[in-house]
Amino acid sequence: MQEPAITPDLIAAHGLKPDEYDMILEIIGREPTFTELGIFSAMWNEHCSYKSSKKWLRTLPTSGPQVICGPGENAGVVDIGDGQAVVFKMESHNHPSYIEPYQGAATGVGGILRDVFTMGARPIASMNALSFGEPGHHKTRQLVNGVVEGIGGYGNCFGVPCVGGEVRFHPAYNGNCLVNAFAAGLADSDKIFYSAASGVGMPVVYLGAKTGRDGVGGATMASAEFDDTIEEKRPTVQVGDPFTEKRLMEATLELMQTGAVISIQDMGAAGLTCSAVEMGDKGGLGVRLDLENVPQREENMTAYEMMLSESQERMLMVLKPELEDEARAVFEKWDLDFAIVGETIAEDRFLIMHNGEVKADLVLSKLSSTAPEYDRPWEPTPEAEELSDVPQIDPIDGLRALLASPNYAGKQWVYEQYDTMVMADSTRTPGLGAGMVRVHGTEKVLAFTSDVTPRYVRANPVEGGKQAVAEAYRNLTAVGAKPLATTDNLNFGNPEKPEIMGQFVGAIQGIGAAVGALDMPIVSGNVSLYNETDGQAILPTPTIGAVGLLQHSDEIIGNEVREGHVALVIGETKGHLGQSALLAEVFNREDGDAPHVDLDAERRNGEFIRANREMIKACTDLSDGGIALAVFELAEFAGVGVCLDDAPTEFLYGEDQARYLVACNFDQAEALMIAAGQAGVPLNSVGRFVGETIKIGGSEATLEDLTAVFRNSFAEAVA
């Protein structure tokens, strides 16, 4: 087949700028082949190289005594004691999900699961953080239904419980939804598998499903804005098969027990190219590939297509040659392809052969660790204007408006499509606070949460970045867990615009300050840029996934609200309404500053909750919707009414940080007040759980009435 000529249009179609192409010419001293151009395009795009973000990612705290492996591998690894580790990561599949919602979301789940079991961990939990356009937009319903079906379709068949996540709606996502997938698994802390190749002349082995033409150019597509050619990008979306992935996991974990694996890497973005280059680069070795040996499910595939395909359920491994037969037997037992497709070489060289013909011959290290790195110009986000007066509102009317919004209504329509109990270790399923999973065969429990408030980040990226971490810290604390570490999924618009890059820099600064102060280092993550359509960017959305640990299930703070329990607020309430849910949903306003995050208060108040858990019957953090929304959610979950003291709108709906709502009996409330006084922690009684109505001052409605609004509004908006 005649390869196309390398023209300026072809270079641009591969997402390479003219100066980047000039760098390629300087590196190789000649015009690249078509396959070489594709390889550079795959390795140097934003999705794989992090060329706009590396400078700032290096500033994040990533280490601590609990950290076994930080960023740079397939997933982060954190010690949980007793020779065990939790392995976790969050990653985006935004662009594919907008183009083809079902397969985009499904393969996002598949990819993040492979990141976990590639490290030698068996997945035990998943979450997803989803952002869609306004419910009335013509694409939103299709996207919501397709994405949720894709997540459920893949995760349910694979057999991993979905224990939490979030769903939001905002016009800024009309042209670009966000699908952020999280997975966590368990491994022995001394049996973690890494991707760095070692040893010269070692076989490079292809494992899993066959290679097709689906997903060719997917990583490059994910590194560009959308425009009116979006439908043409549909072939760049991969197609997933959860049953093959399940077999791949079992075969991989079994193979790891044989001692045959030197290094292993998931074939994710940029497929065979990225996995081979990363393994060689991390090990300081070169790689030779013979593409005629690659298992193919389509006829007459070219070297270009095989190197850039993002077909799913595939792995690349460097194998101990003396154990080849044993390794092959494992994969044949699971009815999966096992093919030796190359070897490691001493030279710093990426040599691609196809039927005896050289298709690419490049300096391997120049493809990965020496990819372009930019210090993009950035402008700090201007200070938000002071919030103008917010009218007082009948408290029940305000609450009803929040409950009727798909942003704050119950998400049962979503969660009920996911298997939340498979493996039988889930102790709390989605719907209220962090999800929890028992560490099988022990008394330990892991807690998981995903958090960010994009309105805050747009108004004040530094405080918004801090708040995303702080809310994750509070959500873990509210169930009794000690926060361990975090993963981030940084979703932003076009970094070539200084105002967008300023949002990114500010958010990184806030996240870094918070994870440092709260001892929750970033151990893995993902950056997704160019989330724009026709120049309109999404809200800056740096999602924080966090993991916490309870040493014993007895330490769990439950949701045991009973008639007569006292409602207490721990933390100081000043009544901050800037960028609040009440403003957005009731007054259609998104003005004012984000709430200030006092990291010392966050840590102090969180430690107080964990130290006094025995006196607390139920706990939730206070964030969107303030006291009013949180007290309703506890009451609704327990099926008991609540009577709150009369208070102004800003007290009921303010979104001050470092706060928790606690329920306990009267004697425990007195003891907590004494303990809070000794610890210097603000604590106030705000009402009592009683009856069958929600009563706030002189305004009330039946719990049954408000529950109907809460339970039905989401499905009415999207189903």
Side-chain angles (χ1 to χ4, degrees):
M1 181 184 290
Q2 182 71 34
E3 292 192 343
I6 308 299
T7 64
D9 285 346
L10 187 67
I11 294 163
H14 280 74
L16 292 164
K17 301 287 172 65
D19 59 333
E20 292 175 334
Y21 183 70
D22 290 341
M23 289 174 63
I24 293 171
L25 295 179
E26 187 175 337
I27 288 169
I28 65 176
R30 57 176 170 78
E31 183 180 88
T33 67
F34 181 51
T35 300
E36 288 173 336
L37 182 71
I39 288 170
F40 271 106
S41 167
M43 292 306 302
W44 282 15
N45 65 57
E46 198 73 56
H47 191 78
C48 293
S49 73
Y50 293 85
K51 58 191 175 186
S52 297
S53 57
K54 278 191 286 193
K55 168 186 168 69
W56 298 101
L57 296 177
R58 292 191 190 103
T59 68
L60 290 169
T62 59
S63 61
Q66 71 274 43
V67 178
I68 295 173
C69 175
E73 282 291 338
N74 287 293
V77 186
V78 175
D79 191 353
I80 61 170
D82 304 313
Q84 292 180 301
V86 60
V87 179
F88 63 96
K89 188 183 183 184
M90 179 172 268
E91 194 159 79
S92 61
H93 234 223
N94 304 336
H95 287 63
S97 297
Y98 189 77
I99 296 169
E100 214 302 305
Y102 184 96
Q103 291 295 349
T107 52
V109 174
I112 200 67
L113 290 168
R114 285 196 304 280
D115 281 337
V116 168
F117 68 76
T118 302
M119 302 288 291
R122 181 173 290 276
I124 62 164
S126 69
M127 295 190 296
N128 48 81
L130 312 176
S131 303
F132 298 105
E134 54 196 331
H137 187 266
H138 67 92
K139 279 206 67 147
T140 297
R141 187 166 296 199
Q142 173 215 355
L143 288 171
V144 174
N145 281 269
V147 165
V148 170
E149 286 176 17
I151 291 168
Y154 203 102
N156 297 352
C157 294
F158 181 87
V160 64
C162 180
V163 299
E166 52 188 342
V167 186
R168 71 177 55 84
F169 298 85
H170 191 280
Y173 304 104
N174 280 348
N176 204 127
C177 65
L178 301 184
V179 175
N180 295 174
F182 170 99
L186 286 173
D188 292 339
S189 54
D190 61 349
K191 294 177 183 173
I192 306 299
F193 287 80
Y194 299 99
S195 58
S198 64
V200 175
M202 297 296 157
V204 174
V205 184
Y206 174 115
L207 308 168
K210 288 179 168 56
T211 293
R213 291 186 172 93
D214 51 320
V216 173
T220 301
M221 174 272 294
S223 304
E225 293 182 37
F226 284 149
D227 53 29
D228 57 9
T229 65
I230 186 171
E231 285 302 317
E232 298 171 14
K233 297 181 170 70
R234 191 173 299 276
T236 62
V237 178
Q238 313 93 323
V239 177
D241 178 355
F243 299 107
T244 298
E245 175 115 335
K246 177 70 170 175
R247 288 185 287 123
L248 179 62
M249 179 190 72
E250 296 297 349
T252 301
L253 295 178
E254 185 175 333
L255 178 66
M256 288 169 170
Q257 300 302 312
T258 68
V261 178
I262 294 174
S263 65
I264 190 164
Q265 177 73 36
D266 161 44
M267 282 196 226
L272 190 54
T273 291
C274 193
S275 55
V277 168
E278 287 190 4
M279 290 173 75
D281 187 60
K282 288 175 182 175
L285 295 168
V287 174
R288 170 193 167 117
L289 296 178
D290 297 298
L291 297 185
E292 63 271 15
N293 297 327
V294 170
Q296 300 160 51
R297 68 167 184 261
E298 299 185 46
E299 293 183 359
N300 301 318
M301 288 192 71
T302 65
Y304 178 95
E305 290 169 333
M306 282 186 273
M307 291 306 297
L308 270 66
S309 168
E310 294 185 6
S311 295
Q312 295 293 286
E313 295 87 43
R314 302 179 302 157
M315 314 277 264
L316 201 64
M317 174 182 72
V318 176
L319 171 74
K320 292 178 182 176
E322 67 273 17
L323 294 174
E324 178 188 330
D325 290 344
E326 193 173 346
R328 184 186 300 274
V330 170
F331 270 74
E332 287 179 350
K333 182 183 84 171
W334 287 99
D335 194 24
L336 292 164
D337 279 295
F338 177 102
I340 294 176
V341 296
E343 66 175 358
T344 58
I345 57 179
E347 302 165 83
D348 181 9
R349 191 177 181 193
F350 194 40
L351 180 61
I352 308 302
M353 306 291 294
H354 190 210
N355 296 324
E357 185 179 346
V358 175
K359 290 297 184 180
D361 190 353
L362 301 168
V363 179
L364 187 144
S365 63
K366 298 294 184 183
L367 292 167
S368 181
S369 53
T370 54
E373 182 175 335
Y374 297 122
D375 185 2
R376 301 276 190 201
W378 61 280
E379 297 171 356
T381 300
E383 285 189 22
E385 293 183 11
E386 236 177 278
L387 184 67
S388 57
D389 288 343
V390 177
Q392 295 293 304
I393 185 172
D394 179 273
I396 294 296
D397 289 347
L399 179 59
R400 191 185 298 273
L402 292 183
L403 302 182
S405 163
N407 279 311
Y408 304 107
K411 307 299 191 298
Q412 291 80 7
W413 181 88
V414 176
Y415 303 140
E416 287 169 1
Q417 296 186 55
Y418 304 154
D419 192 333
T420 61
M421 299 301 292
V422 64
M423 301 173 75
D425 280 319
S426 302
T427 65
R428 181 178 294 183
T429 54
L432 185 65
M436 289 187 285
V437 174
R438 284 184 293 267
V439 178
H440 199 75
T442 76
E443 295 295 339
K444 291 180 290 192
V445 177
L446 286 165
F448 305 98
T449 189
S450 164
D451 297 287
V452 67
T453 307
R455 290 190 312 276
Y456 293 172
V457 186
R458 181 179 59 183
N460 188 328
V462 176
E463 292 301 317
K466 285 184 194 174
Q467 192 276 338
V469 177
E471 186 172 346
Y473 174 88
R474 292 196 303 271
N475 273 328
L476 296 175
T477 294
V479 298
K482 177 178 173 54
L484 286 181
T486 51
T487 179
D488 58 9
N489 202 149
L490 307 174
N491 308 274
F492 290 82
N494 185 343
E496 297 169 48
K497 298 178 179 178
E499 67 274 16
I500 299 293
M501 197 63 205
Q503 293 176 341
F504 182 86
V505 172
I508 286 281
Q509 291 170 339
I511 290 167
V515 298
L518 300 175
D519 192 22
M520 298 169 67
I522 298 278
V523 298
S524 60
N526 171 245
V527 178
S528 175
L529 303 176
Y530 296 96
N531 288 289
E532 298 199 7
T533 297
D534 296 328
Q536 296 299 307
I538 61 163
L539 292 181
T541 312
T543 309
I544 298 294
V547 178
L549 176 67
L550 298 96
Q551 293 296 336
H552 197 285
S553 57
D554 290 348
E555 296 177 351
I556 294 174
I557 299 174
N559 287 314
E560 301 166 20
V561 178
R562 298 287 183 268
E563 180 92 13
H565 276 174
V566 179
L568 304 173
V569 170
I570 291 170
E572 186 177 8
T573 300
K574 296 180 179 177
H576 182 94
L577 283 175
Q579 299 297 329
S580 66
L582 183 78
L583 272 191
E585 301 294 347
V586 177
F587 298 106
N588 198 28
R589 290 170 51 179
E590 295 184 2
D591 53 335
D593 199 0
H596 172 71
V597 180
D598 182 337
L599 294 169
D600 290 336
E602 291 283 2
R603 182 156 192 153
R604 181 183 64 244
N605 296 355
E607 289 173 349
F608 176 81
I609 292 285
R610 294 195 299 276
N612 293 280
R613 71 181 87 214
E614 291 181 358
M615 292 185 277
I616 298 171
K617 294 300 183 185
C619 180
T620 184
D621 92 298
L622 292 178
S623 50
D624 286 296
I627 293 169
L629 184 57
V631 81
F632 169 80
E633 289 177 343
L634 278 187
E636 193 272 339
F637 187 85
V640 61
V642 68
C643 180
L644 284 190
D645 301 334
D646 196 12
T649 296
E650 54 269 25
F651 181 87
L652 294 169
Y653 291 99
E655 296 181 5
D656 307 282
Q657 301 297 294
R659 297 185 305 154
Y660 300 82
L661 179 72
V662 164
C664 58
N665 64 38
F666 186 79
D667 291 344
Q668 291 165 329
E670 284 193 325
L672 276 173
M673 287 178 181
I674 293 168
Q678 293 170 343
V681 170
L683 186 152
N684 292 288
S685 171
V686 294
R688 185 179 292 264
F689 292 93
V690 63
E692 298 178 351
T693 64
I694 304 294
K695 185 177 182 181
I696 308 177
S699 182
E700 67 180 299
T702 66
L703 179 61
E704 182 182 22
D705 173 35
L706 293 179
T707 294
V709 176
F710 179 67
R711 293 259 168 177
N712 297 326
S713 294
F714 188 93
E716 288 171 357
V718 301

